[in-house]
mmCIF file of all heavy atoms in Angstrom:
data_model
loop_
_atom_site.group_PDB
_atom_site.id
_atom_site.type_symbol
_atom_site.label_atom_id
_atom_site.label_comp_id
_atom_site.label_asym_id
_atom_site.label_seq_id
_atom_site.Cartn_x
_atom_site.Cartn_y
_atom_site.Cartn_z
ATOM 1 N N LYS T 50 19.096 0.559 13.116
ATOM 2 C CA LYS T 50 17.854 0.536 13.890
ATOM 3 C C LYS T 50 17.410 1.955 14.184
ATOM 4 O O LYS T 50 16.343 2.381 13.805
ATOM 5 C CB LYS T 50 18.085 -0.223 15.209
ATOM 6 C CG LYS T 50 18.310 -1.721 14.987
ATOM 7 C CD LYS T 50 17.342 -2.557 15.809
ATOM 8 C CE LYS T 50 17.296 -4.003 15.345
ATOM 9 N NZ LYS T 50 18.447 -4.782 15.881
ATOM 10 N N ARG T 51 18.294 2.736 14.835
ATOM 11 C CA ARG T 51 17.909 4.088 15.221
ATOM 12 C C ARG T 51 18.343 5.105 14.176
ATOM 13 O O ARG T 51 17.672 6.084 13.946
ATOM 14 C CB ARG T 51 18.513 4.427 16.593
ATOM 15 C CG ARG T 51 18.108 3.387 17.666
ATOM 16 C CD ARG T 51 18.754 3.665 19.007
ATOM 17 N NE ARG T 51 18.421 4.989 19.474
ATOM 18 C CZ ARG T 51 19.280 5.979 19.613
ATOM 19 N NH1 ARG T 51 20.553 5.782 19.335
ATOM 20 N NH2 ARG T 51 18.904 7.145 20.037
ATOM 21 N N GLY T 52 19.476 4.842 13.547
ATOM 22 C CA GLY T 52 19.948 5.737 12.492
ATOM 23 C C GLY T 52 20.745 6.922 12.992
ATOM 24 O O GLY T 52 20.647 8.013 12.452
ATOM 25 N N ALA T 53 21.572 6.708 14.040
ATOM 26 C CA ALA T 53 22.446 7.783 14.518
ATOM 27 C C ALA T 53 23.691 7.841 13.628
ATOM 28 O O ALA T 53 24.300 6.819 13.344
ATOM 29 C CB ALA T 53 22.841 7.520 15.965
ATOM 30 N N VAL T 54 24.034 9.053 13.172
ATOM 31 C CA VAL T 54 25.160 9.223 12.250
ATOM 32 C C VAL T 54 26.260 10.040 12.924
ATOM 33 O O VAL T 54 25.983 11.046 13.571
ATOM 34 C CB VAL T 54 24.698 9.952 10.967
ATOM 35 C CG1 VAL T 54 25.870 10.253 10.043
ATOM 36 C CG2 VAL T 54 23.635 9.137 10.232
ATOM 37 N N GLN T 55 27.504 9.572 12.769
ATOM 38 C CA GLN T 55 28.642 10.327 13.334
ATOM 39 C C GLN T 55 29.737 10.487 12.287
ATOM 40 O O GLN T 55 30.098 9.503 11.628
ATOM 41 C CB GLN T 55 29.269 9.541 14.474
ATOM 42 C CG GLN T 55 28.480 9.487 15.753
ATOM 43 C CD GLN T 55 29.204 8.579 16.732
ATOM 44 O OE1 GLN T 55 29.366 7.387 16.466
ATOM 45 N NE2 GLN T 55 29.655 9.154 17.831
ATOM 46 N N PHE T 56 30.246 11.681 12.156
ATOM 47 C CA PHE T 56 31.468 11.923 11.392
ATOM 48 C C PHE T 56 32.556 12.202 12.428
ATOM 49 O O PHE T 56 32.400 13.124 13.240
ATOM 50 C CB PHE T 56 31.318 13.150 10.485
ATOM 51 C CG PHE T 56 30.796 12.833 9.110
ATOM 52 C CD1 PHE T 56 29.552 12.252 8.952
ATOM 53 C CD2 PHE T 56 31.558 13.118 7.976
ATOM 54 C CE1 PHE T 56 29.055 11.951 7.687
ATOM 55 C CE2 PHE T 56 31.070 12.823 6.704
ATOM 56 C CZ PHE T 56 29.830 12.245 6.558
ATOM 57 N N ASN T 57 33.608 11.402 12.423
ATOM 58 C CA ASN T 57 34.686 11.600 13.393
ATOM 59 C C ASN T 57 35.964 12.027 12.682
ATOM 60 O O ASN T 57 36.544 11.222 11.942
ATOM 61 C CB ASN T 57 34.972 10.292 14.152
ATOM 62 C CG ASN T 57 33.732 9.761 14.837
ATOM 63 O OD1 ASN T 57 33.011 10.497 15.511
ATOM 64 N ND2 ASN T 57 33.445 8.471 14.635
ATOM 65 N N ASN T 58 36.358 13.268 12.839
ATOM 66 C CA ASN T 58 37.621 13.763 12.263
ATOM 67 C C ASN T 58 37.823 13.340 10.814
ATOM 68 O O ASN T 58 38.884 12.829 10.456
ATOM 69 C CB ASN T 58 38.808 13.251 13.077
ATOM 70 C CG ASN T 58 38.898 13.975 14.387
ATOM 71 O OD1 ASN T 58 38.943 15.201 14.417
ATOM 72 N ND2 ASN T 58 38.866 13.220 15.466
ATOM 73 N N VAL T 59 36.814 13.543 9.994
ATOM 74 C CA VAL T 59 36.905 13.082 8.604
ATOM 75 C C VAL T 59 37.715 14.064 7.757
ATOM 76 O O VAL T 59 37.436 15.259 7.716
ATOM 77 C CB VAL T 59 35.494 12.891 7.997
ATOM 78 C CG1 VAL T 59 35.576 12.672 6.492
ATOM 79 C CG2 VAL T 59 34.781 11.726 8.673
ATOM 80 N N THR T 60 38.740 13.517 7.123
ATOM 81 C CA THR T 60 39.530 14.281 6.157
ATOM 82 C C THR T 60 39.458 13.550 4.832
ATOM 83 O O THR T 60 39.549 12.319 4.787
ATOM 84 C CB THR T 60 40.990 14.424 6.643
ATOM 85 O OG1 THR T 60 40.966 15.211 7.847
ATOM 86 C CG2 THR T 60 41.871 15.112 5.623
ATOM 87 N N PHE T 61 39.253 14.305 3.765
ATOM 88 C CA PHE T 61 39.080 13.681 2.462
ATOM 89 C C PHE T 61 39.424 14.657 1.342
ATOM 90 O O PHE T 61 39.150 15.850 1.433
ATOM 91 C CB PHE T 61 37.615 13.226 2.290
ATOM 92 C CG PHE T 61 37.281 12.792 0.892
ATOM 93 C CD1 PHE T 61 37.644 11.528 0.447
ATOM 94 C CD2 PHE T 61 36.636 13.653 0.017
ATOM 95 C CE1 PHE T 61 37.361 11.139 -0.859
ATOM 96 C CE2 PHE T 61 36.350 13.259 -1.289
ATOM 97 C CZ PHE T 61 36.706 12.007 -1.729
ATOM 98 N N GLY T 62 40.021 14.125 0.280
ATOM 99 C CA GLY T 62 40.246 14.913 -0.939
ATOM 100 C C GLY T 62 39.991 14.046 -2.151
ATOM 101 O O GLY T 62 40.229 12.837 -2.106
ATOM 102 N N TYR T 63 39.482 14.618 -3.217
ATOM 103 C CA TYR T 63 39.292 13.848 -4.453
ATOM 104 C C TYR T 63 40.643 13.577 -5.098
ATOM 105 O O TYR T 63 40.845 12.559 -5.736
ATOM 106 C CB TYR T 63 38.404 14.620 -5.435
ATOM 107 C CG TYR T 63 36.987 14.799 -4.938
ATOM 108 C CD1 TYR T 63 36.606 15.940 -4.231
ATOM 109 C CD2 TYR T 63 36.033 13.812 -5.158
ATOM 110 C CE1 TYR T 63 35.309 16.105 -3.778
ATOM 111 C CE2 TYR T 63 34.733 13.969 -4.711
ATOM 112 C CZ TYR T 63 34.378 15.118 -4.013
ATOM 113 O OH TYR T 63 33.099 15.273 -3.550
ATOM 114 N N LEU T 64 41.543 14.545 -4.922
ATOM 115 C CA LEU T 64 42.887 14.407 -5.459
ATOM 116 C C LEU T 64 43.841 14.441 -4.278
ATOM 117 O O LEU T 64 43.589 15.163 -3.301
ATOM 118 C CB LEU T 64 43.193 15.578 -6.401
ATOM 119 C CG LEU T 64 42.175 15.779 -7.524
ATOM 120 C CD1 LEU T 64 42.365 17.132 -8.198
ATOM 121 C CD2 LEU T 64 42.296 14.652 -8.541
#
Side-chain angles (χ1 to χ4, degrees):
K50 291 235 165 80
R51 304 177 57 246
V54 175
Q55 287 176 297
F56 270 61
N57 303 313
N58 286 306
V59 169
T60 295
F61 170 79
Y63 294 93
L64 306 167

